[in-house]
Amino acid sequence: MLTKYPPQVSFSEAVRIIKDIYKTYKDREVSEDLLPEIFKVRQKSSYFPATITALQKFGLVTKKPKGILELTDLAIQIINPIGDEDIEAKHIAVRKDEVLSSFLEKYPNYTLPSPEQTKQTLIKLFGIDRKTVDRWYQFVIDSFRELSLKRNIVVNDNISLNDEQYKSTVSKISEQVLIPKGFQNFELPSGKKFTFSLEDGLTLDDLDFITDFFDLKKKRLGKGN
């Protein structure tokens, strides 16, 4: 039975965490005391054990005595794959989650339908409350983002892409696969992408709130410099 809220971290974030753990500590075992910075939450926060629970659900870590967390074989296959085993390992991990497994079976090419249709599926198929469906939707699209990033792309069965071609291809895949219908995508002066979606019927107060939010972000960025 589904919980009210989705797992604390999406599959994409879970992969980011296990890779950072291995990159930072060069070991499969690490004390939980060393993880708040990688988890990006305080150890005393309720989000800390919830993050570990999410990693366990994906089959990426196991808890050992004395507060030790160990990366599983499945995690190592994703972190340091031999050949293309990371692709299958990611599928195995995702299938451990009921919602993601269902979407993967229905959309094996990782191309999700419109946000509205995806949310309707979450509500009708899984009985997710309308009050929390946005959070579940974000969990799904963030998780599928990781699945779409294939480490190796092969053209005509035997011609491998070089690094620049790979980056260009991933960029095109991102534009075609990761941005759901109804979203708008712009390239910023820095070369980064800005993606957003605005529902119909927004009020002036709504727009003022949005502009105030970005004004605040701008001020904080200025202080950082």
Side-chain angles (χ1 to χ4, degrees), residues 27-91:
D27 199 341
R28 293 182 60 162
E29 295 186 1
V30 60
S31 171
E32 292 180 13
D33 295 337
L34 301 175
L35 295 176
E37 186 173 348
I38 292 178
F39 282 8
K40 298 181 179 180
V41 295
R42 292 179 296 106
Q43 190 168 5
K44 293 183 179 180
S45 167
S46 61
Y47 296 131
F48 188 88
T51 298
I52 294 178
T53 298
L55 295 173
Q56 288 178 300
K57 183 174 183 179
F58 285 126
L60 301 177
V61 302
T62 57
K63 292 191 69 172
K64 302 185 71 175
K66 299 182 180 180
I68 299 297
L69 216 62
E70 181 180 22
L71 299 173
T72 63
D73 290 341
L74 190 65
I76 296 300
Q77 289 171 12
I78 294 173
I79 296 168
N80 189 24
I82 298 176
D84 293 332
E85 67 179 355
D86 55 327
I87 297 174
E88 179 57 28
K90 289 179 179 180
H91 281 208

Side-chain angles (χ1 to χ4, degrees), residues 152-211:
N152 295 314
I153 298 178
V154 178
V155 180
N156 295 333
D157 295 330
N158 57 6
I159 303 176
S160 298
L161 301 180
N162 61 33
D163 289 342
E164 290 304 317
Q165 290 173 318
Y166 172 77
K167 292 176 183 178
S168 174
T169 304
V170 168
S171 176
K172 292 178 182 178
I173 290 175
S174 297
E175 293 177 0
Q176 296 173 3
V177 177
L178 302 184
I179 301 174
K181 296 179 181 178
F183 280 67
Q184 298 185 53
N185 182 47
F186 293 96
E187 183 170 341
L188 301 175
S190 64
K192 296 182 181 298
K193 299 292 185 180
F194 175 58
T195 304
F196 72 95
S197 174
L198 295 177
E199 296 182 1
D200 294 333
L202 292 180
T203 66
L204 290 177
D205 287 340
D206 292 332
L207 295 177
D208 285 340
F209 180 88
I210 294 172
T211 55

Side-chain angles (χ1 to χ4, degrees), residues 114-125:
S114 68
E116 293 77 14
Q117 186 175 341
T118 302
K119 290 177 184 179
Q120 287 177 358
T121 299
L122 288 168
I123 292 171
K124 295 178 180 178
L125 186 60

Side-chain angles (χ1 to χ4, degrees), residues 1-2 57 94-103 126:
M1 182 177 178
L2 292 180
K57 183 174 183 179
V94 163
R95 291 191 189 104
K96 295 179 182 295
D97 180 271
E98 179 184 353
V99 173
L100 295 180
S101 179
S102 179
F103 274 100
F126 299 101

Side-chain angles (χ1 to χ4, degrees), residues 91 95 100-112 144 147-148 150:
H91 281 208
R95 291 191 189 104
L100 295 180
S101 179
S102 179
F103 274 100
L104 181 59
E105 183 176 349
K106 194 171 184 180
Y107 306 104
N109 62 348
Y110 319 134
T111 305
L112 295 171
F144 265 62
L147 290 176
S148 70
K150 293 185 178 180

